[in-house]
Amino acid sequence: MTNWEADDATATYVADVAEYWERGGFSHAAGQILGHLMVCEPAEQTQAELAEALGLSAGTVSTQLKILLAVEMVERVRSRGVRTSFYQVPKNMWTRVLASETSRIGGLRGLADQGLKVLPQTRPDRIVSLDQMVRFFEHEWPQLEERLEEFLRKEES
Amino acid sequence: MTNWEADDATATYVADVAEYWERGGFSHAAGQILGHLMVCEPAEQTQAELAEALGLSAGTVSTQLKILLAVEMVERVRSRGVRTSFYQVPKNMWTRVLASETSRIGGLRGLADQGLKVLPQTRPDRIVSLDQMVRFFEHEWPQLEERLEEFLRKEES
DNA sequence: TCATGTTTTTAGTTATACCTGAAATCACTG
DNA sequence: CAGTGATTTCAGGTATAACTAAAAACATGA
């Protein structure tokens, strides 16, 4: 109860970000960390600062950060001469998140291939439409990523 | 233990589909139902048949079907003169799923707008890049959906 | 290498989601 | 509108995930 959040607006923001990502499968604590790192000052925070700001235990912060680091939505920053690590939202976070979508498409590719081998007599479209959808995205997704990069380049002006 | 699955191949398929969707936030039972409905014969199944085939209780089938119906990955079919409802994978399931992505983008739009109001002094890109990403998809997603429809039209031949 | 502060791991508690079996409700046929 | 089968709801038990507090492991500056 020392310094929960700078002000009400950012506190609300942290809660909203947490709620959004909770639906995406993250824990509430992970969502809070993400939300805080979106708006905190400075942008780089230690585990102790995160725990303090959000009222979480050291263990929770450690565990949830590990998850966020694994999906590359947070990165660790270490500077020479300082014993403590800092954590921050990486510069190109969204590009990374989008890239990870490729592996999810890969999962569906597996289900489509397997499905074609057990293709049902009636309504084979149940499998075929999945295969079509996957083929479509295997073709489109790389292009979309390229267009995103181009879009971001143009925004820098 | 009466008629668990037609054969080993489809049983494996059901398990794999269940595993995939479990990572997507569904329960194991919901994933099983989805997998079974992808390959079962006939394509339309009653709750009792689903419960029997997958070894689930009537309550579980009812509850999980409700969820699958809500996200439109399963549809209910009722025919005159028959007291029982049937459940099946809808013809255009993937189009529906893709369409629901629009609302998720909408959620991010909200986070971006709110974030711009509490824009941090340092590393404002933490919010700005989110806003850019959302703007990109607000522009691209409808086009992508159109291209998907065109792609599916061409496949019908 | 030591000393110190940071991070991770572990054990234990609490909260939540899942599933079952049974009762209640609902919908349709005759 | 009564009877029957299908579906939903509810209470209870079980498994799992989240979180905490404390101990262990780790890393770094001196």
Side-chain angles (χ1 to χ4, degrees), chain B residues 27-67:
Chain B
S27 70
H28 186 69
Q32 287 184 89
I33 292 172
L34 216 38
H36 183 78
L37 289 178
M38 294 281 292
V39 292
C40 62
E41 211 71 71
E44 317 84 35
Q45 299 270 299
T46 65
Q47 291 200 12
E49 286 171 334
L50 290 170
E52 163 68 13
L54 300 169
L56 299 170
S57 73
T60 299
V61 171
S62 172
T63 305
Q64 299 306 315
L65 271 180
K66 191 159 64 177
I67 293 169

Side-chain angles (χ1 to χ4, degrees), chain A residues 8-9 11 16 20 22 27 32 41-42 61 85 99 101-103 105 110 113 117 138 143:
Chain A
D8 241 23
D16 290 345
Y20 181 85
E22 227 170 329
S27 71
Q32 286 183 90
E41 213 70 71
V61 171
S85 291
E101 194 67 16
T102 304
S103 75
I105 295 172
D113 287 343
K117 290 182 193 158
E138 282 172 341
Q143 295 184 357

Side-chain angles (χ1 to χ4, degrees), chain B residues 30-156:
Chain B
Q32 287 184 89
I33 292 172
L34 216 38
H36 183 78
L37 289 178
M38 294 281 292
V39 292
C40 62
E41 211 71 71
E44 317 84 35
Q45 299 270 299
T46 65
Q47 291 200 12
E49 286 171 334
L50 290 170
E52 163 68 13
L54 300 169
L56 299 170
S57 73
T60 299
V61 171
S62 172
T63 305
Q64 299 306 315
L65 271 180
K66 191 159 64 177
I67 293 169
L68 292 169
L69 289 166
V71 298
E72 294 185 278
M73 296 184 76
V74 170
E75 70 182 358
R76 178 186 214 153
V77 181
R78 326 194 44 163
S79 36
R80 263 178 28 92
V82 181
R83 38 157 56 43
T84 316
S85 290
F86 289 83
Y87 300 86
Q88 67 181 2
V89 171
K91 189 123 205 331
N92 51 350
M93 181 187 90
W94 288 105
T95 315
R96 291 161 191 243
V97 171
L98 267 287
S100 78
E101 194 68 15
T102 304
S103 76
R104 288 183 54 199
I105 295 172
L108 285 179
R109 159 56 51 223
L111 291 185
D113 287 343
Q114 249 188 286
L116 291 171
K117 290 182 194 160
V118 293
L119 198 64
Q121 302 279 311
T122 62
R123 297 273 325 276
D125 69 279
R126 286 178 279 170
I127 301 290
V128 170
S129 67
L130 167 61
D131 180 59
Q132 289 175 330
M133 210 277 306
V134 173
R135 287 212 315 281
F136 176 76
F137 273 97
E138 284 171 339
H139 178 254
E140 290 284 338
W141 201 255
Q143 295 185 357
L144 199 73
E145 285 185 307
E146 272 179 44
R147 278 206 296 285
L148 176 59
E149 294 204 9
E150 189 193 356
F151 172 82
L152 294 177
R153 268 196 299 279
K154 282 182 181 168
E155 288 272 318
E156 307 197 25

